């Protein structure tokens, strides 16, 4: 194998996992050197290879991978980094996928990860690492030379994982617990919007159900009821009748269906218009907008049924024009970034603004802030991102986003979520999913991200969650991207799964309007 033709970055990253008797307990380590030819063929210098056992996983990885090609044309970045992604859903799978493709990324770990991430080779999963234990995460990072931690879900951020990692000197992409309160408490978020003149729906906060119902009697429906705290994307009810509002109030304040997250509720005015998702990377002072995306919250075709955490998405969103993007940055993103800094809790991470383009004014208003990538919007964004994600996120951690510009594929991406029957209500677990490899082989432009899968003793993928798969594809336009995604969905053999058949309908409508 000639050195000049070797894809160095891809070839020098490899992983192996051994289970059972051959595994050493705990954090036992051994370091050995092999001639490179034993692994990759005829190269001129030895490479150091490290074996470590972590819990039930034996991890093998190549070290010192910044090798230069002999002809000088193969450029490997001088700065190399090993990344740990926290989380185990579809969003985290997409982040691992993008990081694995980053030229400067030596290795990607994911804790706890999931079988889809592991089997795809997008990361080495560490299911035994307790991500609720900051000391354990810090110890792992130090043992493995992790130079960047990317926290996917909101719960560890609200709990303060980023605080502890940063205090330990580990670069971490994700806000402190103080800054994560933007998502952790809608009341906190709304008060900041009032203080810094950020346009959003009028609202009131309640803890007493009788007072909340009296407010509804005075204001009528349609109206929106939200749990104040984290409710896994399910604590929002858009009620069109008084009965629906009263039921939502009782569910949250009387029955306690969302626990402490629903012990306080926000009741806000219903805004009529089209929704979109707006993302910006933030380093405490500078905000760098990402490409636009639009998701589908309702469970059923035609946007009917209860809200979910997302049944599909696409990027870019035609409704988010350059003019609108500038308005969102000026009115919704930059004021909160500056406001958080003024409050003494600088925001570092990804700021996700759910916005609505109000029908009567045509102007963007904030629905709510989130402090992490959206799911499934992250899947389509990472499919289109062409920049080195590891270096971009490191720049955010260092306060250097002003030096960064992003490169995106001109193609459109769409993701169709496959969910367990019954979702977002009670759903059946343990059903077998087949033909996933065959589905991905439909086209090189197709990627399946795993959100809720496990593996049984026979090696079959098993549905273990509500939203289970994100079947994602790129195409030159919305028609081609949708066709590839749905062709792959058709190959997946999962009788107990369901999906929406109209993902991207707004983009299709916009395209047809422009064409005519």
């Amino acid at each position: 194998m000639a050195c000049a033709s070797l894809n160095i970055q891809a070839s020098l990253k490899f992983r192996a996992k051994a289970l059972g008797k051959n595994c050493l307990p705990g954090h036992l380590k051994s370091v050995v050197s092999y001639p490179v030819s034993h692994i990759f063929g005829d190269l001129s210098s030895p490479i150091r290879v490290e074996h470590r056992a972590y819990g039930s996983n034996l991890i093998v990885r190549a070290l010192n991978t910044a090798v230069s090609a002999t002809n000088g044309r193969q450029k490997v970045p001088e700065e190399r980094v090993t990344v740990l992604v926290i989380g185990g859903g579809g969003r985290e799978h997409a982040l691992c996928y993008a990081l694995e493709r980053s030229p400067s990324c030596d290795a990607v770990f994911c804790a706890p990860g999931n079988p889809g991430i592991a089997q795809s080779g997008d990361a080495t999963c560490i299911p035994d690492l307790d991500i609720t234990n900051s000391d354990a995460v810090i110890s792992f990072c130090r043992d493995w030379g992790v130079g960047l931690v990317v926290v996917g879900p909101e719960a560890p951020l609200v709990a303060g994982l980023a605080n502890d990692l940063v205090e330990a000197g580990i670069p971490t992409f994700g806000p402190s617990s103080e800054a994560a309160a933007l998502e952790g408490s809608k009341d906190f978020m709304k008060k900041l919007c009032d203080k810094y003149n950020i346009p959003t729906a009028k609202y009131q906060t309640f803890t007493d159900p009788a007072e909340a119902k009296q407010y509804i009697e005075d204001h009528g429906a349609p109206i929106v009821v939200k749990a104040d705290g984290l409710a896994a994307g399910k604590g929002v009810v858009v009620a069109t009748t008084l009965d629906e509002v009263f039921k939502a109030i009782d569910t949250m304040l009387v029955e306690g269906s969302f626990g402490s997250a629903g012990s306080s509720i926000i009741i806000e005015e219903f805004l009529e218009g089209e929704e979109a998702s707006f993302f910006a990377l933030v380093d405490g002072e500078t905000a760098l907008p990402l490409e636009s995306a639009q998701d589908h919250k309702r469970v059923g075709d035609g946007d009917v049924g209860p809200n979910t955490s997302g049944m599909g998405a696409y990027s870019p969103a035609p409704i988010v024009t350059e003019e609108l993007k500038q308005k969102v940055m000026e009115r919704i993103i930059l004021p909160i970034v500056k406001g958080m800094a003024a409050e003494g809790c600088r925001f570092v991470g990804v700021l996700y603004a759910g916005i609505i383009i109000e029908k009567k004014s045509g102007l963007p208003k904030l629905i709510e802030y989130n402090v992490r990538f959206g799911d499934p919007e992250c899947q389509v964004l990472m499919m289109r991102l062409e920049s080195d994600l590891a270096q971009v996120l490191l720049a955010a951690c260092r306060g250097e986003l002003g030096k960064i510009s992003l490169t995106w594929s001109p193609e459109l991406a769409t993701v169709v979520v496959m969910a367990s029957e019954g979702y977002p209500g009670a759903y059946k677990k343990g059903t077998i999913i087949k033909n996933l490899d065959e589905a991905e082989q439909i086209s090189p432009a197709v990627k399946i991200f795993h959100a809720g899968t496990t593996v049984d003793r026979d090696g079959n993928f098993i549905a273990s969650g509500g939203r289970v798969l994100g079947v994602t594809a790129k195409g030159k336009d919305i028609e081609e991207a949708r066709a590839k995604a749905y062709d792959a969905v058709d190959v997946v053999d999962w009788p107990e799964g369901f999906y929406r058949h109209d993902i991207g309908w707004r983009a299709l409508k916009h395209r047809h309007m422009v064409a005519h």
Side-chain angles (χ1 to χ4, degrees), residues 294-334:
Q294 197 164 26
D295 75 339
H296 300 256
K297 284 281 190 265
R298 301 278 187 164
V299 72
D301 289 0
D303 290 330
V304 300
N307 272 341
T308 71
S309 297
M311 292 300 295
Y314 54 91
S315 173
I319 193 172
V320 184
T321 62
E322 285 302 315
E323 181 183 4
L324 183 66
K325 181 183 290 188
Q326 184 176 349
K327 288 179 179 177
V328 173
M329 288 295 291
E330 292 173 352
R331 293 159 57 94
I332 295 173
I333 299 297
L334 294 177

Side-chain angles (χ1 to χ4, degrees), residues 181-263:
L182 267 183
E183 182 170 357
S185 170
K186 293 180 178 60
D187 182 64
F188 173 80
M189 178 202 75
K190 286 285 194 176
K191 287 175 179 175
L192 281 180
C193 289
D194 288 343
K195 185 172 182 178
Y196 294 102
N197 299 312
I198 297 166
T200 186
K202 297 175 184 177
Y203 76 102
Q204 289 287 340
T205 303
F206 297 93
T207 56
D208 182 272
E211 291 180 5
K213 289 178 181 179
Q214 183 59 55
Y215 181 84
I216 297 300
E217 293 278 8
D218 295 339
H219 288 78
I223 206 159
V224 182
V225 183
K226 297 179 178 180
D228 178 50
L230 299 180
K234 298 174 185 175
V236 178
V237 176
V238 180
T240 57
T241 67
L242 292 182
D243 286 343
E244 287 178 336
V245 188
F246 292 156
K247 181 180 178 182
I249 291 170
D250 286 340
T251 297
M252 296 181 194
L253 291 182
V254 179
E255 299 168 13
S257 297
F258 296 108
S260 59
S263 60

Side-chain angles (χ1 to χ4, degrees), residues 124 163 241 243 247 308 388 426 494 510:
T124 299
N163 301 55
T241 67
D243 286 343
K247 181 180 178 182
T308 71
D388 185 321
W494 183 27
H510 182 272

Side-chain angles (χ1 to χ4, degrees), residues 248-292:
I249 291 170
D250 286 340
T251 297
M252 296 181 194
L253 291 182
V254 179
E255 299 168 13
S257 297
F258 296 108
S260 59
S263 60
S264 175
I265 65 171
I266 306 293
I267 298 179
E268 63 181 28
E269 69 173 320
F270 173 77
L271 298 176
E272 187 176 2
E274 189 167 343
E275 295 182 25
S277 302
F278 195 96
F279 299 89
L281 304 180
V282 182
D283 66 5
E285 296 181 2
T286 302
L288 180 65
L290 304 184
E291 281 284 79
S292 61

